[in-house]
Amino acid sequence: MDNVIKQLKENLSKTSSLTDLDKIYIEYLGRSGIINDLISKIKEISNEEKREYGQKVNKLKVSINQLIDIKKKELQSKKSEVFFDNTLPGKTYPRGSLHIVSYAIEEITKIYEKIGFIRVSYPEVDWEYGAFESLNMPSGHPARDDVETSFIDVPAHPTFGKMVLTPHTSNGQNREMKRVGKPPIRMINISKCYRPNWDATHTPMFYQFEGLCVDREITIANLKGTLDYFAEKYFGKGTKTRLRPHHFQFTEPSFEVDISCNICSGKGMGCKVCKSGWLELGGCGMVHPNVLHEGGIDPIQYTGWAFGFGIERIIMMKYGLDDIRNYYSGDIRFLEQF
Amino acid sequence: MNIKITYNWLLEYLDTDATPDQIREYLSLCGPSIESVEKVGNDYVFDIEITSNRIDTASIIGIAQEAQAILPMFGKKAKLKFDPLKEYKFENIAGSGHRVVPSLKINIVDPKLCPRFTAIIIENVAIAPSPNFIKNRLIACGIKSINNVVDISNYLMLTFGQPVHTFDYDQIKGQTMIMRESKKGEKIVTLDEKEITLPGGDL
């Protein structure tokens, strides 16, 4: 044991860095270090000598600790000859954030949650039945041409037709009606959609959110009220909505929704963003009886409304952005602003 | 689907005191969306979205009728200048002329496909460029001017919304026109000289 101290002193005299000192500490006092080794040997010692042996090892441990401590202080004092200001701020590392679309999805979900709409999620890859037949567009119907659709190259389903990438979120309507079975239905379906376009206001993959409300005595007034509520919550107080007649195969009557422009407060004159005081939000209407029927709901007892808006578009309108392609180009300088 | 028509062309059928911009605003609120008004020369071009349930509005007459219904609601005068169904009666155009049974056979295979097929034969046609007023209007409306025969069919379609097609009578096999569905794999060459293989069942 005397040897141990002698050896340690020799080792310490050669040590010039804290890292080396740590190694020595481990060598002597670590889990499988010399001291622990000596302690484990206590089993081999006869009972009479055990007490004395134990005390010796303990003493040794204390001395080693002291020696190492002294050396440590010596090395630290040397090191601190170089000035170190430990009040300096640390290094900053780049921090990620949620994508602009993720924020919007969260915001929309919360807005509708408050008036009892449940966020649902339905497949992005569906059969033709979900995307067209169930929405009052039988095969061969010219309205199908209005939505350019991508088909997936797999064998068609015997009853549901070809496999498609959903061109809109309305495929959730039939599924939700069948899931709930009996109205009331209040859903918000947010999902990716696909159409083969690429310009400032279109990307081949985009997000839509679809609202569907079915119950007894649901009218256009309920639709307008919900749209007004959403416009005020999302775009800010005082935002108005207006409906213009339009045509969609799955709603009758159908409307396009405009919201008043917040940039020019609806004046329109010389406004770069809206030009007319109004901005087009998307489509909506009263659910077509054929669609309700296909979802197993009696169109005589129940009525409903539905709308579908593009998420990229409403973000664009809210922040006055001009190119949707930026959302997906992966440019950090753009994305970190949100 | 979008169509383009011009303001002056519309005024030939519609008597109104509404400005192009008022027409755009009021019609967009109640009927077909007019997406833009563009000044071309001394005329204005409307770019109009036609929804698939209102194909009847896809023409000058169609828009004039919409305007007649909508503009008075906004305190504007709007009235069709004449009833085209009366004005363009055969007697009014042909005068003392009379209908001749033409030497063209028409064979409609299934009346469900097409309840009515109308054809006339025009003789002594000289193919030439169209008069300027037709040319300019077609170009303003986004249609290529080709020659008098092609242009007049496009001009009439845009005016009345009724598609018209012209054929070279001498080239028609057996002087018979057959209305039928296509057979699968049948090939046609379109006007822009593309060969298209038909899936079958096309009109």
Side-chain angles (χ1 to χ4, degrees), chain A residues 141-143 146 242-247 249 252 256 258 276, chain B residues 1 24-25 27-33 49 51-54:
Chain A
H141 196 283
D146 293 347
R242 80 176 178 191
L243 302 178
R244 281 181 292 107
H246 201 75
H247 172 72
Q249 204 54 34
E252 182 61 39
E256 274 192 332
D258 294 339
S276 63
Chain B
M1 186 188 87
R24 179 194 60 75
E25 193 184 338
L27 257 58
S28 296
L29 280 174
C30 302
S33 294
E49 185 187 0
T51 56
S52 55
N53 62 330
R54 291 303 307 275

Side-chain angles (χ1 to χ4, degrees), chain A residues 208-240:
Chain A
Q208 269 192 350
F209 66 109
E210 173 108 3
L212 175 69
C213 174
V214 184
D215 205 346
R216 287 176 202 273
E217 289 169 27
I218 292 291
T219 68
I220 296 173
N222 300 115
L223 169 61
K224 183 74 162 61
T226 312
L227 293 173
D228 282 344
Y229 164 80
F230 173 74
E232 283 229 328
K233 288 282 175 203
Y234 188 78
F235 293 103
K237 258 205 155 0
T239 310
K240 293 188 194 72

Side-chain angles (χ1 to χ4, degrees), chain A residues 122-127 152 163-166 171 175 194:
Chain A
Y122 285 113
E124 286 165 34
V125 179
D126 205 340
W127 303 105
I152 295 178
M163 196 185 267
V164 298
L165 290 174
T166 52
N171 67 316
R175 287 175 182 268
Y194 303 85

Side-chain angles (χ1 to χ4, degrees), chain A residues 39-68:
Chain A
I39 291 172
S40 66
K41 274 184 187 147
I42 204 162
K43 288 178 270 178
E44 298 156 26
I45 310 283
S46 65
N47 278 344
E48 302 88 70
E49 287 171 26
K50 257 185 190 155
R51 187 183 157 87
E52 201 192 336
Y53 180 82
Q55 282 173 344
K56 259 185 157 176
V57 173
N58 257 335
K59 242 186 192 169
L60 185 65
K61 191 179 175 182
V62 173
S63 341
I64 292 173
N65 246 328
Q66 280 172 347
L67 285 169
I68 290 180

